[in-house]
Amino acid sequence: MPFAQKMETDTIGCLEFEGGNVLGVLFPWFQSGVWVLLPAESTVGLLLTQEWGLDPESLDEKLGTVFLNGTPLDDMESAFLCDGDVLALSGPMPGLAGAILRRNSPLAVLRHGCKTTSFETSPKASGPILVRVKLFNRLIEDLGPILLRKGILLEKDDALQCLRTWKYSERAKPTRVWLNREEVSFENLELSPIHRCSYVEFRLADGSA
């Protein structure tokens, strides 16, 4: 998936939040997709275990369905991620459809219309890559805080909409906010130099839940 704008390091603004309901405000953006920066030659399995620190038991219990670029994925260890890929993760889904799409399901042969593309080819990128991650159902609460501690990226317009939504909602506001490591007022974020950024990183400050 191409980016709306070419991403350069000097066009990224970093917002760090202490306190407040950051996860609740970002809920719809986790569903529609947020960008995460990853090392080159990452597989889906390495992302989940090494980057995000999940243990195999947690994966088996919490992760029901994995889609990579719209294709159901069973073998996460050999599926390499490339720049611009879209990775969708869901907890176990109910019903027959959920059973068919579930990882390593014995009903996988019933996935009519789903591609069987192999993702085993190692990517050519030598530097960091950006992947769009979508989370659904309970995985937003399970994985959302992990992603926020690592940092997620939103395009500027999405970031500003998210901040406006937060400002005028009843959700708990942050107690402190930093923009590019300088403390700023949450109420005046819309008037800050964030407008000159192409992308905005949302991150939980050290020690925040």
Side-chain angles (χ1 to χ4, degrees):
M1 176 182 291
F3 301 110
Q5 306 175 56
K6 183 180 179 181
M7 183 170 290
E8 304 290 350
T9 54
D10 60 354
T11 63
I12 301 175
C14 179
L15 281 176
E16 294 181 88
F17 300 95
E18 183 179 281
N21 191 355
V22 189
L23 185 62
V25 171
L26 283 166
F27 197 96
W29 279 272
F30 276 116
Q31 290 182 314
S32 60
V34 298
W35 295 105
V36 297
L37 190 64
L38 303 173
E41 299 190 7
S42 292
T43 65
V44 176
L46 288 175
L47 168 63
L48 295 171
T49 56
Q50 293 190 13
E51 289 295 314
W52 294 352
L54 300 177
D55 60 76
E57 290 185 3
S58 294
L59 290 179
D60 290 338
E61 176 187 352
K62 298 178 179 180
L63 188 59
T65 305
V66 179
F67 280 85
L68 182 55
N69 298 326
T71 300
L73 183 66
D74 293 311
D75 183 5
M76 300 188 297
E77 301 305 322
S78 60
F80 283 91
L81 292 164
C82 298
D83 200 48
D85 277 351
V86 180
L87 179 67
L89 307 173
S90 171
M93 296 186 296
L96 180 60
I100 292 173
L101 296 174
R102 190 170 301 136
R103 287 190 307 121
N104 301 316
S105 170
L107 301 178
V109 293
L110 301 179
R111 293 172 183 171
H112 298 300
C114 291
K115 294 180 281 186
T116 57
T117 306
S118 172
F119 296 100
E120 295 184 4
T121 303
S122 179
K124 297 179 181 179
S126 58
I129 61 172
L130 279 155
V131 172
R132 194 177 190 98
V133 174
K134 299 182 179 184
L135 302 178
F136 298 98
N137 47 56
R138 72 180 191 183
L139 285 187
I140 295 178
E141 293 184 2
D142 291 338
L143 299 183
I146 296 174
L147 269 65
L148 282 170
R149 283 191 287 270
K150 296 284 186 178
I152 64 168
L153 289 166
L154 295 181
E155 295 177 21
K156 180 186 68 176
D157 290 344
D158 287 333
L160 289 172
Q161 182 182 348
C162 180
L163 293 170
R164 283 193 293 268
T165 299
W166 196 359
K167 180 178 179 179
Y168 296 109
S169 74
E170 296 182 356
R171 295 188 184 277
K173 308 302 186 288
T175 52
R176 300 179 73 184
V177 182
W178 292 265
L179 174 60
N180 297 332
R181 301 194 175 183
E182 292 188 8
E183 192 161 2
V184 293
S185 165
F186 175 74
E187 295 297 322
N188 295 323
L189 266 179
E190 294 176 81
L191 305 176
S192 71
I194 197 173
H195 281 281
R196 296 198 291 269
C197 302
S198 298
Y199 292 83
V200 180
E201 181 182 45
F202 283 63
R203 181 186 292 270
L204 293 178
D206 291 341
S208 294

